[in-house]
Amino acid sequence: RHARSSDVVVGVLDEPGGAQYALPAPGAPLDRRSVWAAIEPATATAVSAVRRAGGWREDLGTGSSAPWQSSAFADLLLRVVAADGGGTVVTWTPEFRCTGQGFVRGTSPSALRRKARTYGRGYGRVLRTWRYPLSKLVGTVVKPLAQPGFSVGPDVLPYSVRWQLALGRLEGALGRVLPTSRPDLRGGDDLRR
């Protein structure tokens, strides 16, 4: 019923231990800050809005041809807002709920480090693409290392994972993959295997 009057409907992604992110207040605009609360499995976007935004980018997101393996949906929503000149109608509703496994659960330590690095790359890349302030770019790299108990949703990340997340965010912000001796953390071709 929300989709009839909205371009974007954002609900809650429930994971074991709690919701991944809190929703903004009803009536809040979809913008560069709130877009990160719109998680793909719990968000519905009108096809017409996606078309106005130019569709999905093939060089961003999971399975893309580039090392930027996340945040394609945030990029799409930012382009929806830009294409609509700020007139995007969004409904934030806790009534729309989806269940997910969580970032950490069921993932081996090495796979979790790889996942954090690749997710960080996409996030940093979107921040760079959308010209977030330098303070945001620096803060996003430093935060996983400096904040005790840094978590993704309800899951507190081990320091080794937070380090890989910070490196990935730095790579995305720089727009290039840093050299590494670990073949599982190199570039797009390795990540798709």
Side-chain angles (χ1 to χ4, degrees):
R1 73 182 190 282
H2 296 297
R4 287 193 291 269
S5 58
S6 300
D7 298 307
V8 180
V9 179
V10 183
V12 175
L13 178 60
D14 282 323
E15 299 176 332
Q20 186 167 17
Y21 296 106
L23 292 180
L30 183 61
D31 58 22
R32 289 163 42 114
R33 175 178 246 174
S34 67
V35 72
W36 301 103
I39 306 300
E40 284 178 70
T43 304
T45 307
V47 172
S48 58
V50 174
R51 287 184 179 138
R52 285 192 304 273
W56 289 93
R57 286 180 53 188
E58 294 184 14
D59 64 341
L60 184 65
T62 304
S64 76
S65 60
W68 326 118
Q69 296 286 307
S70 73
S71 302
F73 193 60
D75 174 77
L76 174 68
L77 292 178
L78 288 167
R79 288 188 290 114
V80 164
V81 170
D84 287 346
T88 303
V89 179
V90 61
T91 299
W92 307 94
T93 177
E95 296 171 8
F96 178 27
R97 301 186 86 81
C98 296
T99 302
Q101 182 175 345
F103 190 82
V104 173
R105 290 176 174 78
T107 307
S108 71
S110 63
L112 184 56
R113 286 189 297 274
R114 184 173 53 251
K115 181 178 183 179
R117 182 85 169 253
T118 59
Y119 273 45
R121 284 176 180 155
Y123 180 72
R125 183 69 175 164
V126 169
L127 294 180
R128 176 189 168 127
T129 299
W130 286 93
R131 300 179 192 273
Y132 279 75
L134 181 60
S135 60
K136 173 72 173 173
L137 291 172
V138 171
T140 201
V141 171
V142 172
K143 187 176 180 181
L145 301 174
Q147 182 183 17
F150 181 84
S151 63
V152 174
D155 298 316
V156 175
L157 300 180
Y159 191 77
S160 63
V161 174
R162 293 173 14 214
W163 177 248
Q164 292 301 319
L165 182 63
L167 283 174
R169 288 176 171 187
L170 176 63
E171 289 173 321
L174 294 174
R176 61 185 296 260
V177 176
L178 301 173
T180 179
S181 60
R182 301 234 354 236
D184 60 334
L185 295 174
R186 287 190 185 140
D189 291 338
D190 293 316
L191 298 174
R192 283 188 299 281
R193 289 192 191 123

